[in-house]
Amino acid sequence: MAIQTSPAPPDAPPGPPRAGELGVPGYRRFLGAGREVLIHYLTFLVTVALVLAPVLPILAQSVRDQPLYAAGGVFTLENYGRLFTEAGFGGIVLDTLLFALLTTVFALAIAVPMAILLTRTRFPGARLVEQLVRWPIYISPLVLAFGWIVVYGPAGFVSTALRAYGGFVPWDLYTLHGMAFVEAVAQVPVAFLFCANALASSDTSLESAARTVGAGPARILRSIVVPMLRPPMLYAGLLIFGTAVETLSVPLILGEPAGITLFSSFLYDEGINSINPDYGLLGAASTLILLATIGLVVLQTRLLAQAQRFVSVRGKANRSQLLDLGRWRWLGFAFVGTYLAFGVLLPMTALILRAFTTLLTPLVNPLSLLTLDNFELIFSYRPYTESILNSITVALIGSVAVTVVGTCVVLVARRSDFRFARLLETAALAPHAIPGLIIGIGFFWAFAWAPGGDLVRGTLLALIIAFGVRALPSAFGAVSPSVLQIGRELDNAARVAGADWWRTVSRVLLRLLVPAMLASFLLIWTQMIREYAPAMFLAGTESQVIGTTAIDLWTQGETGSVAALATIQIAVTAVVAGLAGILLKGRRTHA
């Protein structure tokens, strides 16, 4: 018997629109699920695979008695025992920790006073000086180390002048504390940014209250401002310590000639310089270094979470009143000026000048030694020219790819109902704890072990993948704040209109994120154009980059060619940074 249905009354409210009706778009479904499910899981699987690809081979190699790619081999823990007995890894650990500790102390001793002077006192030309202090962020620590040797090395410009006219040189860069000071100069901007940003956004009501009871500028700084900097000092200190543990540039070009071996130079010697590499030993050392850096990152995260009890930014606006140090401000100006002049500007100027001279010495007028031979050597020898083009290609393609991947990861992790969103975010930030050399070693073994990996190893694609994994946390950090600032009302409005998650993201959110993506592109470009550590293990004869070529030239004694390469790298970075700045300014003007 047929069931009769009565028509809906004329005044009944309409039901929700269905796909294909009333202009609501219809979407194909994949295995019964919406396309956003496919995008979410694809983003998750790709991110996790990229992050685990360099880590798992290292862990596996550390407990095998044969190379990972060789047939056979058994499980063993002897690699860890031989590491501390035959290889003398215990002494290397102590030297590395001392180097990292000295670097952290030196960097904070310079950065913290500068942050206070430039943000809390009446400092002459504070805005211009602050930009100069930030500038070394765009320079590779390798380039800065080259500049320091040109000026302050045994045959450096200033060292030669002091020896000729004063009889002695009061410093030695080829010692552990000399190496630490050079590394600290490169890390000062990092600590400065943490401390300066904390002071710029903090409430000054306590300082105003101290003034009302007669406290002077020195007392206010000592009793209020400095204690308030403890959280950023701790966080920046741990970050610098971890960076110093994994850095390769200073230990390689300053430590190796003096017979000082640190974590990174040990991996370099055992993996690249060794005729018969001991892969088990290399895997065990890489595992221990990886665990150490992960522990430091975990400690940073916990300290950052506990820093909320030091919060001094409140809802009520409080205009900052700068402290007047009187005549003491010129002492502070001399302190900051000394760091900028002798720590950054003079080494960089000398390095650039060395690129245009046959010899840089105070005993001969540099203008009489001007030449373009150093650049002619770079551009006349194909491998050197290719290294420049390779760096630009890797930075260009990599920065675009990492920005796109990082944006997708942020949108899935922060703007969807994906069940593994928190795990995806953790995976995207995990490479922050993996040193560059470890990423290079891990991908070297991954490409050697994986089917078809030989087609990738030694190519620019291998460098793009390795550099990209290392830069992924930076892309996530550059885009994530902008996503959080966009209200969810836009998402809800689009979903009510019938758009699914991908249509909402592509038509609404991505357009609003263009400035953040441009900023991410600039950040990743700057990071990739100066990156070289993973390439030490992954680059082939035709895929060298500026950093690896500069190290090769330095070991051959070609100081002028190294200076020319560094000058080209600085020029390319400056041009891209300028263009990106213009684009960002244009986007903000039309926003």
Side-chain angles (χ1 to χ4, degrees):
M1 177 172 123
I3 300 177
Q4 300 267 344
T5 58
S6 59
D11 56 348
R18 293 179 297 175
E21 297 181 358
L22 302 177
V24 178
Y27 305 105
R28 294 182 179 180
R29 304 180 69 83
F30 180 78
L31 298 178
R35 61 181 176 180
E36 68 269 14
V37 176
L38 176 62
I39 296 173
H40 294 171
Y41 276 97
L42 182 62
T43 302
F44 176 77
L45 293 176
V46 169
T47 303
V48 172
L50 288 174
V51 172
L52 293 181
V55 175
L56 296 181
I58 289 176
L59 299 178
Q61 183 63 78
S62 69
V63 293
R64 278 176 57 100
D65 63 344
Q66 295 291 332
L68 192 63
Y69 53 83
V74 295
F75 176 85
T76 179
L77 295 177
E78 291 183 0
N79 295 326
Y80 291 94
R82 292 190 299 110
L83 186 64
F84 288 92
T85 55
E86 300 177 13
F89 198 66
I92 295 174
V93 170
L94 295 178
D95 286 343
T96 303
L97 294 179
L98 181 57
F99 168 77
L101 179 62
L102 290 174
T103 299
T104 304
V105 172
F106 290 152
L108 291 178
I110 299 173
V112 174
M114 283 201 309
I116 295 174
L117 289 170
L118 293 176
T119 58
R120 274 295 191 262
T121 68
R122 298 184 183 276
F123 192 89
R127 290 189 177 181
L128 175 61
V129 174
E130 185 174 347
Q131 293 301 318
L132 292 176
V133 172
R134 296 169 182 255
W135 181 64
I137 293 178
Y138 298 99
I139 303 174
S140 169
L142 180 65
V143 172
L144 189 60
F146 286 144
W148 265 71
I149 295 177
V150 169
V151 177
Y152 304 113
F157 189 89
V158 174
S159 299
T160 302
L162 290 177
R163 192 178 296 109
Y165 301 108
F168 75 102
V169 178
W171 58 74
D172 185 2
L173 300 184
Y174 294 89
T175 60
L176 203 59
H177 58 272
M179 294 165 53
F181 194 82
V182 175
E183 180 67 24
V185 171
Q187 299 301 327
V188 162
V190 176
F192 173 83
L193 287 176
F194 276 101
C195 296
N197 291 339
L199 289 175
S201 60
S202 62
D203 192 353
T204 59
S205 58
L206 293 177
E207 300 168 37
S208 301
R211 290 191 189 94
T212 60
V213 296
R219 180 66 180 275
I220 293 175
L221 292 176
R222 184 175 66 253
S223 302
I224 299 176
V225 176
V226 173
M228 191 166 50
L229 284 176
R230 281 183 290 175
M233 285 174 61
L234 284 173
Y235 192 82
L238 285 172
L239 181 61
I240 294 172
F241 189 92
T243 303
V245 167
E246 69 175 34
T247 187
L248 176 63
S249 55
V250 170
L252 192 59
I253 66 176
L254 290 178
E256 288 286 285
I260 301 174
T261 303
L262 304 184
F263 275 169
S264 55
S265 53
F266 174 83
L267 296 179
Y268 176 83
D269 291 337
E270 292 294 328
I272 297 178
N273 281 353
S274 177
I275 299 177
N276 296 311
D278 189 334
Y279 290 112
L281 201 67
L282 192 61
S286 301
T287 300
L288 292 180
I289 297 173
L290 180 62
L291 292 177
T293 54
I294 291 176
L296 288 172
V297 171
V298 171
L299 185 57
Q300 291 173 14
T301 304
R302 291 188 176 182
L303 286 176
L304 189 63
Q306 295 175 1
Q308 295 300 322
R309 53 195 187 90
F310 291 90
V311 168
S312 60
V313 181
R314 304 301 177 190
K316 183 179 179 180
N318 190 8
R319 194 171 184 176
S320 175
Q321 183 176 353
L322 300 178
L323 299 173
D324 189 356
L325 300 180
R327 290 178 297 179
W328 290 100
R329 72 181 182 276
W330 296 112
L331 180 61
F333 185 83
F335 173 78
V336 177
T338 299
Y339 162 75
L340 288 175
F342 295 99
V344 181
L345 298 180
L346 181 58
M348 289 298 95
T349 302
L351 187 65
I352 295 173
L353 185 59
R354 179 65 183 88
F356 291 94
T357 57
T358 56
L359 182 68
L360 187 62
T361 174
L363 306 179
V364 181
N365 184 359
L367 297 180
S368 64
L369 302 174
L370 293 178
T371 181
L372 292 176
D373 290 346
N374 297 319
F375 290 94
E376 290 180 1
L377 175 63
I378 295 298
F379 290 109
S380 62
Y381 190 50
R382 181 180 174 184
Y384 298 162
T385 306
E386 284 184 346
S387 69
I388 300 173
L389 297 177
N390 290 341
S391 290
I392 295 175
T393 301
V394 170
L396 180 61
I397 298 177
S399 56
V400 172
V402 173
T403 297
V404 172
V405 173
T407 303
C408 291
V409 171
V410 171
L411 291 172
V412 174
R414 296 287 178 87
R415 216 57 174 225
S416 75
D417 56 356
F418 183 52
R419 60 185 301 182
F420 300 117
R422 182 65 61 86
L423 184 59
L424 174 62
E425 179 177 347
T426 302
L429 296 176
H432 176 63
I434 309 176
L437 271 181
I438 302 298
I439 287 181
I441 296 172
F443 273 114
F444 174 82
W445 284 331
F447 293 143
W449 174 76
D454 289 336
L455 300 177
V456 179
R457 187 177 56 182
T459 66
L460 292 183
L461 178 59
L463 300 187
I464 292 173
I465 294 173
F467 289 10
V469 170
R470 185 161 166 80
L472 183 58
S474 299
F476 189 96
V479 178
S480 180
S482 297
V483 172
L484 295 177
Q485 290 174 359
I486 300 175
R488 289 186 175 271
E489 295 82 1
L490 297 176
D491 304 49
N492 297 334
R495 301 303 287 268
V496 168
D500 67 348
W501 179 86
W502 175 245
R503 179 63 65 90
T504 302
V505 165
S506 60
R507 297 295 180 88
V508 180
L509 296 181
L510 284 180
R511 297 185 181 185
L512 297 175
L513 290 176
V514 170
M517 295 175 69
L518 286 175
S520 173
F521 172 85
L522 174 60
L523 178 63
I524 303 305
W525 164 275
T526 303
Q527 184 172 343
M528 282 193 166
I529 195 68
R530 65 180 192 171
E531 184 67 86
Y532 68 96
M536 302 297 287
F537 283 87
L538 293 174
T541 55
E542 297 183 356
S543 58
Q544 298 291 320
V545 293
I546 292 177
T548 57
T549 301
I551 291 176
D552 289 339
L553 287 172
W554 186 266
T555 57
Q556 300 171 20
E558 297 288 345
T559 308
S561 300
V562 172
L565 266 179
T567 301
I568 294 171
Q569 185 183 55
I570 293 172
V572 171
T573 302
V575 170
V576 173
L579 292 176
I582 293 174
L583 289 175
L584 285 172
K585 185 176 180 180
R587 293 290 306 184
R588 289 166 182 166
T589 301
H590 293 89

